[in-house]
Amino acid sequence: MEALGGGNGGFFWGWNREIRKRKPYSCKSNASKSYDGVAGGRHQFPLKQAVTAGSLALAGDTIAQVRDRWLNNKASMQNSVLPSNDYSDDKDLMGAILLDHDWLRALRMTSYGFLFYGPGSYAWYQYLDSCLPKQSAKNLMLKVMLNQVVLGPSVIAVVFAWNNLWQGKLSQLPGKYQKDALPTLLYGFRFWIPVSALNFWVVPLQARVAFMSMGSIFWNFCLSSRMSK
């Protein structure tokens, strides 16, 4: 989850000093190499990470939709005053849950994961590792903090804007941010801070998008539920 953040690193004490001591790993030099790679035609779209993130965004939205329909249909059947057969009720309930699916909503969340979250988070983790390559407690805390301060608000800003754009409600976007952005971000902190710490501590770079995308099944469930309100 997860555009704020001091680009020069001055806010985070000691970060610039540590980067200068490790000149070969400076963010500036790595950014130049990345630019050269793009200019030389060697940069490729991270298709694997995009497909992974898109698939898991679809899974999270599907879980959210099924849960909402299950609860709504169950409540309506319980409030019904007409006598009914339990087997018939269960059959009708399952039919409503499986058939009454909002595929446009599912496509919105899937395209967000494929186009934005997968490629964006992959580039972000590469950038963090290039700036803070040493596996120290200080670097771990910096990565987790930056993940929440930069990536978290960016994800929420993009997914809210993407959803409102698809629905033709861009004029309502400021109100959506004002109402839901901060509560969603603060709720996400409770989940993503420990997950991010585990991700940066024990998961290798090549597997981080997949690991965080697995956690995103839960987070996309929360986002999708928030988007439907």
Side-chain angles (χ1 to χ4, degrees), residues 73-74 76-93:
N73 282 285
K74 200 73 174 177
S76 64
M77 287 185 175
Q78 288 176 350
N79 292 332
S80 176
V81 295
L82 296 176
S84 58
N85 180 273
D86 290 341
Y87 176 77
S88 177
D89 284 352
D90 290 341
K91 188 176 180 180
D92 291 342
L93 180 59

Side-chain angles (χ1 to χ4, degrees), residues 202-214:
V202 299
V203 179
L205 175 62
Q206 297 83 352
R208 283 179 187 164
V209 172
F211 177 80
M212 294 295 276
S213 293
M214 290 298 294

Side-chain angles (χ1 to χ4, degrees), residues 163-203:
N163 183 74
N164 278 43
L165 176 64
W166 273 65
Q167 293 181 320
K169 298 179 180 178
L170 278 180
S171 60
Q172 301 177 17
L173 185 59
K176 184 71 174 175
Y177 284 147
Q178 187 176 13
K179 177 184 176 183
D180 291 330
L182 185 59
T184 303
L185 181 65
L186 295 178
Y187 185 79
F189 283 169
R190 291 183 287 175
F191 175 74
W192 283 116
I193 287 177
V195 171
S196 296
L198 184 62
N199 185 48
F200 290 122
W201 185 26
V202 299
V203 179

Side-chain angles (χ1 to χ4, degrees), residues 10-62:
F11 178 81
F12 306 105
W13 57 270
W15 187 13
N16 283 342
R17 185 169 58 237
E18 185 175 348
I19 292 173
R20 283 197 295 269
K21 289 180 181 178
R22 298 191 310 273
K23 191 174 181 180
Y25 295 103
S26 69
C27 297
K28 185 175 180 180
S29 64
N30 278 277
S32 299
K33 290 177 183 178
S34 298
Y35 177 80
D36 293 341
V38 173
R42 295 189 296 272
H43 181 77
Q44 294 182 347
F45 180 78
L47 183 61
K48 181 178 179 181
Q49 286 79 10
V51 170
T52 300
S55 301
L56 294 173
L58 174 61
D61 177 70
T62 300

